[in-house]
């Protein structure tokens, strides 16, 4: 029987961070068990047949205002300086997203000032007595035209349901920007790892006290391991053998295309709220700064599938997740950590912060 003081299930960013801390700070042996054939979870990247570095599970870019998180991750990578900008394809033209003064002026061929933007938006709002749904939120804050151009059809594609069927918490507010800042994130620290996220993750795991098992479902081996603490980052419902039934996730069909040109679109990420069945196109070279005479893009088509990407934002699934969390609280010597194990959406810096907090509690 194998003996480890700590076992981590899942080699995504949450599991990797905890394993790295245990090895470097506690100098304890830790076993990481991963079901996929690679480390890194959904931030995993690799070179495709054309030699272009692509992100296999959709685009990721690092951003945070937390200097402790930034300093921590800087131990394991140098940075390609990059500030994320997103364009939304509306009425045959690209306009900046999130909605800013620049967006409104381009969309309606205006030259409004910041004060005039307030009046413009105010004049378009729909009076709704009681805000119940996501549709109500957007109509009451931005009006019908903005609702239909940016939110209605995008939401139907993203979740498979009309915004009128989604709780108001799904779109709590529209983040209007009254200035001309067209960056998607305004965090102080932004960029992507030189050499890619997988290389960064490998650097984090490069420690003699860390052992890794790939292509392994932890349930197949856990009975043959003697351990004191299990840090579980897999799906919480799977851990409990779906005793209350399966949680609902929104999945994505990924369509990769390589084109014989240097540039495919104006920015790394474009959003498609009205046209076509995909919601987003990513051009990876613009994320990484790679030079190549060809380019690879990714079109994302949300769907109902087995691969869990987005927690489903309705009361029914939140309630079921809470039942599983209550079961998790009763588990001795098991910590449930991360997006899958907590049924919560996390950005990368949030995942690292949560993992560091869990480690400090150990």
């Amino acid at each position: 029987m194998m003996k480890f003081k700590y076992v981590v299930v899942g080699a995504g960013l949450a599991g990797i961070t905890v394993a790295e801390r245990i090895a470097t700070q506690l100098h304890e042996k830790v076993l990481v068990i991963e079901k996929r054939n690679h480390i890194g979870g959904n931030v995993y990247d690799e070179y495709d047949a054309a030699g272009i570095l692509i992100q296999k599970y959709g685009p990721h870019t690092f951003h945070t205002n937390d200097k402790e998180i930034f300093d921590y991750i800087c131990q394991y990578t140098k940075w390609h300086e990059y500030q994320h900008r997103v364009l939304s394809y509306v009425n045959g033209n690209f306009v900046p997203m999130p909605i800013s003064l620049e967006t409104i002026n381009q969309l309606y061929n205006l030259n409004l000032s910041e004060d005039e933007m307030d009046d413009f938006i105010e004049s378009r709002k729909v009076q709704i007595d009681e805000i119940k749904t996501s549709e109500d939120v957007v109509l009451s804050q931005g009006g019908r035209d903005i609702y239909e151009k940016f939110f209605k059809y995008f939401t139907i594609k993203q979740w498979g349901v009309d915004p009128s069927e989604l709780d108001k918490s799904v779109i709590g507010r529209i983040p209007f920007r009254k200035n001309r800042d067209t960056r998607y994130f305004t965090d102080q620290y932004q960029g992507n790892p030189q050499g890619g996220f997988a290389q960064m993750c490998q650097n984090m795991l490069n420690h003699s006290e860390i052992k890794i098992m790939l292509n392994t479902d932890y349930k197949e081996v856990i009975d043959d391991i003697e351990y004191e603490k299990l840090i579980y980052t897999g799906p919480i419902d799977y851990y409990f053998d779906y005793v209350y039934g399966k949680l609902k996730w929104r999945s994505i069909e990924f369509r990769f295309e390589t084109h014989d040109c240097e540039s495919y679109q104006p920015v790394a990420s474009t959003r498609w709220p009205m046209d076509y069945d995909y919601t987003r196109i990513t051009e990876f070279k613009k994320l990484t700064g790679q030079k190549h005479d060809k380019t690879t893009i990714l079109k994302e088509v949300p769907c109902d599938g087995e691969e869990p990407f987005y927690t489903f934002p309705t009361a029914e699934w939140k309630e079921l997740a809470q039942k599983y969390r209550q079961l998790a609280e009763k588990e001795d010597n098991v910590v449930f950590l991360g997006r899958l194990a907590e049924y919560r959406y996390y950005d990368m810096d949030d995942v690292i912060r949560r993992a560091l907090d869990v480690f400090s509690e150990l």
Side-chain angles (χ1 to χ4, degrees):
M1 180 172 281
M2 292 185 289
K3 289 186 179 182
F4 290 89
K5 189 169 183 179
Y6 297 95
V7 173
V8 176
V9 175
L13 208 49
I16 287 172
T17 302
V18 168
E20 181 277 336
R21 290 288 83 186
I22 290 169
T24 58
Q25 298 298 303
L26 302 182
H27 310 290
E28 296 280 3
K29 277 187 166 35
V30 54
L31 174 65
V32 180
I33 306 172
E34 170 56 50
K35 195 172 186 178
R36 289 172 171 168
N37 64 358
H38 60 75
I39 63 168
N42 286 354
V43 304
Y44 175 75
D45 46 22
E46 63 185 9
Y47 287 91
D48 67 6
I52 296 167
L53 185 62
I54 63 168
Q55 296 179 2
K56 189 174 178 180
Y57 304 100
H60 294 80
T61 187
F62 185 83
H63 58 96
T64 189
N65 283 316
D66 190 328
K67 188 175 188 300
E68 182 185 352
I69 298 300
F70 184 67
D71 289 345
Y72 167 73
I73 211 71
C74 279
Q75 298 175 86
Y76 296 104
T77 188
K78 294 181 178 179
W79 294 97
H80 165 62
E81 292 185 8
Y82 168 78
Q83 301 224 339
H84 197 52
R85 284 180 167 81
V86 176
L87 296 178
S88 196
Y89 191 74
V90 178
N91 288 359
N93 294 292
F94 285 118
V95 295
M97 189 71 186
I99 298 171
S100 64
L101 178 60
E102 199 71 21
T103 310
I104 296 298
N105 281 336
Q106 288 184 31
L107 188 63
Y108 297 106
N109 196 25
L110 300 170
N111 190 26
L112 301 177
S113 65
E114 292 183 19
D115 291 337
E116 289 170 332
M117 178 178 171
D118 273 341
D119 294 336
F120 179 83
I121 297 298
E122 195 66 36
S123 70
R124 289 173 167 255
K125 292 179 178 179
V126 176
Q127 183 63 42
I128 296 175
D129 294 333
E130 185 179 0
I131 308 296
K132 295 181 179 179
T133 69
S134 288
E135 179 181 74
D136 295 340
V137 170
V138 184
L139 290 176
S140 64
Q141 294 182 14
R144 186 163 297 279
D145 195 50
I146 284 174
Y147 166 66
E148 293 193 350
K149 282 184 168 65
F150 291 95
F151 294 95
K152 180 177 181 178
Y153 304 106
F154 186 89
T155 302
I156 291 170
K157 287 195 285 186
Q158 181 69 36
W159 300 112
V161 295
D162 193 276
S164 62
E165 300 175 51
L166 288 176
D167 185 79
K168 63 183 179 181
S169 62
V170 178
I171 306 177
R173 66 182 183 89
I174 309 175
F176 284 120
R177 288 185 189 160
K178 298 176 187 177
N179 57 30
R180 296 181 183 274
D181 188 348
T182 60
R183 293 176 301 166
Y184 197 75
F185 307 116
T186 57
D187 302 69
Q188 182 176 358
Y189 307 104
Q190 300 186 41
N192 284 314
Q194 290 184 16
F197 283 102
Q199 183 60 60
M200 179 190 83
C201 291
Q202 187 61 57
N203 294 342
M204 294 171 73
L205 290 172
N206 188 21
H207 194 286
S208 60
E209 300 288 7
I210 300 175
K211 309 300 178 187
I212 305 169
M213 295 176 68
L214 298 178
N215 292 307
T216 305
D217 185 328
Y218 87 101
K219 289 187 178 183
E220 297 172 357
V221 297
I222 199 66
D223 291 340
D224 297 320
I225 303 169
E226 188 179 314
Y227 61 90
E228 292 182 21
K229 180 76 73 174
L230 183 74
I231 297 105
Y232 180 79
T233 71
I236 190 170
D237 52 353
Y238 179 67
Y239 179 89
F240 292 107
D241 297 315
Y242 308 115
V243 63
Y244 296 136
K246 281 191 174 185
L247 285 163
K248 187 175 179 64
W249 295 83
R250 193 66 168 159
S251 196
I252 304 172
E253 176 194 338
F254 296 118
R255 300 176 184 170
F256 291 92
E257 299 174 4
T258 298
H259 293 266
D260 197 12
C261 58
E262 282 198 24
S263 176
Y264 182 86
Q265 60 186 16
V267 291
S269 180
T270 55
R271 179 181 167 112
W272 298 77
M274 300 175 75
D275 303 78
Y276 308 106
D277 57 348
Y278 44 82
T279 53
R280 180 164 61 176
I281 299 178
T282 300
E283 186 172 7
F284 292 104
K285 281 167 51 181
K286 290 184 168 67
L287 287 175
T288 62
Q290 183 181 1
K291 304 299 181 186
H292 200 290
D293 57 1
K294 294 184 178 182
T295 193
T296 298
I297 64 163
L298 168 62
K299 296 176 179 177
E300 295 177 52
V301 182
C303 61
D304 290 325
E306 290 299 310
E307 194 72 34
F309 284 101
Y310 296 106
T311 57
F312 215 82
T314 59
E316 174 188 0
W317 302 107
K318 289 180 181 178
E319 289 168 11
L320 183 57
Q322 186 56 31
K323 289 178 69 176
Y324 277 115
R325 290 189 203 109
Q326 288 167 355
L327 275 184
E329 289 171 5
K330 299 173 184 176
E331 288 290 292
D332 291 331
N333 302 321
V334 182
V335 177
F336 292 81
L337 167 65
R339 179 180 59 96
L340 300 176
E342 299 178 60
Y343 198 71
R344 290 190 171 98
Y345 181 81
Y346 284 121
D347 281 332
M348 275 186 286
D349 61 329
D350 297 326
V351 167
I352 295 170
R353 165 52 61 199
R354 178 86 179 95
L356 293 179
D357 291 347
V358 161
F359 170 75
S360 68
E361 292 165 10
L362 293 176

